[in-house]
Amino acid sequence: MTQSARRNAKVPSNEMTAMLIIFVATNAFLTYPRYISRNAYEAAWMEPVLSGALTLILFLIVEFLLRKYFRNLDIVEVSKEVFGRFGAGCVALLFSLYFLCSTAAVMREFTENVVSTVLPATPLIFVGAVFMFAVGYIAYAGIEGICRASFIFLPLLLVGLVAVCLMTMNWWHPYFLLPLWGTGVDRVFVGSFQYASIFANVLLLTIIYPHVHDTRATRRMGVVSISVSTCLLVALMLTYHMVFPPEETGKTTFALYRLARIIHMGPFFQRLESIFVFLWVTAATIRMSVTLWGAAYLLSKAFNWSSYRPAIPSLVLISFSMGMWADSWVQVIDLDGKYLLRWGWTVVFALPLVILLLGSTVRAIRRDRADEHDDNGGRMRRA
Amino acid sequence: MLKFCSLMVIPVLVFFYTMSFSRWLAKRAGTGAYVSAAMLGVISLGVSAVTIWRLVM
């Protein structure tokens, strides 16, 4: 087995950080801007800030629990301690299903985006198949390969995102951001919580924790990745809302594509969207390879497979089929918004936190009992 | 039908690959690992067949 596919592979924290940033920032190219714009109008840029703050708090709690009670264990191993082998299998299946649905939704959305913008004459099934082949190839390389690819690609993506923001400067209308609280404080807070599932850092941490090279750097990794991805999302949302009026922002499916289309800085810098589309597609490929690797890895841990790699082709086929199942693009966007985005927090935040809290309680009780047993043994020996 | 059969070549190959993986697991990791891997292969073939049928027929 090559080094990159080892199940106990260790990855430097800067490469993990790059992977987490790309994973969250990719949502800017998907339907996330549409839903938060529809929910909060002018205050849509505040939602990533609140969601990011919530994620950061949960990340630090989860990191503390893992460091104190479950060093070098992942969520499946903790579930085995709490629920037994069968329960851990069910938990792993649930997480894997979530990852597969996420891969399928992103695949279909990006495929439709590519077909409708840069490759209009190419059949949808062909673009989707090529896309999934690339995703499967990266996932096959393992977490080391994915994180290394993320680390190399991140600077390019950052340049691309900042360029989209700055090159639309001549279209900015700062007064579009007023009134400050948009549809109201309560809706902004509810929306921030509902759509916080795009920050999957907490769930990913519970999976990648045994693979972090230096666990002392995990806290910094979480803080940096959440802060940078939040800043990127806020910058993009601010730009988007300064360019388009609030009534329009909730109707666009691909916000960034629309922004890239209107770039017009003299005769040499205009219609640059095809450059940006390929940047976003690469980012989406990395994001999908993370979810696909996560699904294969969790299943392999739950069912005692010696390697997760042979499961990758089957999982690629399942997620491709799920993505192509929907009749239309609109149906995919509706399903994504209704289930994955709105209820994703139960899988991304609530379930890992509950499992870790239960696991740490079980460990604390066992430790107390062992201490009591030692005390009684000591007393009897002295008597 | 020809289009469907030609598109099913890859899912069938993946099915045989996953089945050989499950047989390998049966020798090394036990019945649970074997059954779960075999089920994955069957599900992937079934889901792919239905989706491709819907797309091309």
Side-chain angles (χ1 to χ4, degrees):
Chain A
M1 195 175 282
T2 57
Q3 196 185 359
S4 60
R6 280 181 294 134
R7 279 214 335 197
N8 58 349
K10 297 286 182 192
V11 181
S13 59
N14 52 357
E15 292 178 8
M16 283 274 188
T17 310
M19 183 270 284
L20 290 171
I21 292 170
I22 290 180
F23 191 91
V24 179
T26 310
N27 287 285
F29 326 137
L30 297 167
T31 49
Y32 178 67
R34 172 192 168 100
Y35 285 103
I36 59 168
S37 301
R38 200 187 273 183
N39 183 65
Y41 272 38
E42 295 87 348
W45 64 272
M46 292 181 192
E47 292 202 1
V49 178
L50 297 171
S51 305
L54 173 75
T55 312
L56 189 56
I57 293 165
L58 293 174
F59 187 95
L60 293 176
I61 294 170
V62 166
E63 193 272 337
F64 170 76
L65 291 173
L66 285 169
R67 187 162 33 88
K68 190 165 183 197
Y69 295 103
F70 309 106
R71 221 168 251 275
N72 285 324
L73 294 185
D74 57 41
I75 193 78
V76 179
E77 284 158 337
V78 178
S79 305
K80 278 180 186 167
E81 281 193 21
V82 180
F83 307 115
R85 288 185 67 83
F86 181 74
C90 294
V91 169
L93 271 178
L94 185 69
F95 286 138
S96 301
L97 191 65
Y98 174 78
F99 278 146
L100 285 178
C101 290
S102 170
T103 313
V106 175
M107 186 275 292
R108 181 67 186 264
E109 284 168 18
F110 265 93
T111 305
E112 294 275 5
N113 189 6
V114 170
V115 168
S116 60
T117 53
V118 285
L119 301 170
T122 314
L124 188 71
I125 191 166
F126 179 75
V127 177
V130 172
F131 217 175
M132 284 313 293
F133 179 79
V135 169
Y137 181 75
I138 302 176
Y140 202 76
I143 189 69
E144 277 180 321
I146 297 169
C147 291
R148 191 73 46 84
S150 309
F151 188 67
I152 294 166
F153 177 66
L154 184 66
L156 276 175
L157 182 73
L158 289 177
V159 169
L161 289 177
V162 174
V164 171
C165 292
L166 295 180
M167 290 173 104
T168 51
M169 203 185 271
N170 48 349
W171 296 94
W172 287 1
H173 306 286
Y175 58 88
F176 278 174
L177 295 173
L178 297 172
L180 191 67
W181 285 99
T183 48
V185 179
D186 50 342
R187 283 197 68 157
V188 171
F189 273 88
V190 171
S192 306
F193 181 74
Q194 270 184 342
Y195 298 118
S197 64
I198 61 146
F199 288 89
N201 303 50
V202 174
L203 174 60
L204 286 175
L205 174 68
T206 60
I207 298 167
I208 61 176
Y209 191 67
H211 300 285
V212 181
H213 182 64
D214 181 10
T215 44
R216 284 170 300 176
T218 317
R219 204 179 303 169
R220 194 169 56 89
M221 189 178 91
V223 173
V224 172
S225 66
I226 294 169
S227 311
V228 172
S229 44
T230 304
C231 289
L232 286 173
L233 287 173
V234 170
L236 288 165
M237 288 313 296
L238 277 172
T239 309
Y240 182 46
H241 278 260
M242 282 197 289
V243 172
F244 297 105
E247 298 79 25
E248 268 186 55
T249 51
K251 291 173 187 161
T252 312
T253 312
F254 294 110
L256 278 197
Y257 176 73
R258 214 171 153 208
L259 269 181
R261 254 182 89 93
I262 62 158
I263 291 172
H264 192 285
M265 300 183 84
F268 296 111
F269 295 100
Q270 50 177 302
R271 299 298 305 265
L272 300 174
E273 67 270 18
S274 48
I275 298 170
F276 293 113
V277 164
F278 284 103
L279 271 183
W280 302 335
V281 165
T282 314
T285 309
I286 289 174
R287 187 195 192 277
M288 287 191 287
S289 62
V290 175
T291 46
L292 196 70
W293 172 83
Y297 177 80
L298 290 172
L299 289 176
S300 75
K301 287 304 274 280
F303 297 113
N304 271 344
W305 298 347
S306 318
S307 168
Y308 65 86
R309 281 178 126 187
I312 296 274
S314 287
L315 293 172
V316 164
L317 275 180
I318 292 173
S319 45
F320 175 74
S321 306
M322 283 162 78
M324 289 294 166
W325 189 269
D327 293 326
S328 66
W329 186 5
V330 180
Q331 201 183 353
V332 178
I333 291 165
D334 279 348
L335 288 172
D336 187 18
K338 210 181 277 180
Y339 299 108
L340 286 179
L341 266 179
R342 186 161 288 186
W343 293 103
W345 63 269
T346 51
V347 181
V348 169
F349 297 125
L351 198 56
L353 199 62
V354 168
I355 292 168
L356 285 177
L357 286 172
L358 284 173
S360 40
T361 313
V362 169
R363 283 227 167 169
I365 291 169
R366 276 186 198 157
R367 196 180 290 172
D368 287 348
R369 277 190 194 156
D371 289 347
E372 254 176 49
H373 191 260
D374 287 348
D375 289 347
N376 289 342
R379 250 181 257 139
M380 280 173 75
R381 272 197 297 277
R382 278 198 296 274
Chain B
M1 196 64 188
L2 184 70
K3 201 174 178 186
F4 173 76
C5 291
S6 57
L7 284 172
M8 278 303 289
V9 170
I10 292 171
V12 169
L13 289 176
V14 169
F15 173 73
F16 283 117
Y17 175 66
T18 314
M19 282 301 157
S20 68
F21 169 56
S22 71
R23 280 211 315 275
W24 179 73
L25 280 178
K27 289 176 204 156
R28 294 189 62 165
T31 318
Y34 161 71
V35 172
S36 53
M39 274 177 67
L40 181 70
V42 172
I43 291 169
S44 75
L45 182 70
V47 173
S48 313
V50 176
T51 309
I52 292 173
W53 184 266
R54 272 166 57 101
L55 284 172
V56 299
M57 302 307 275

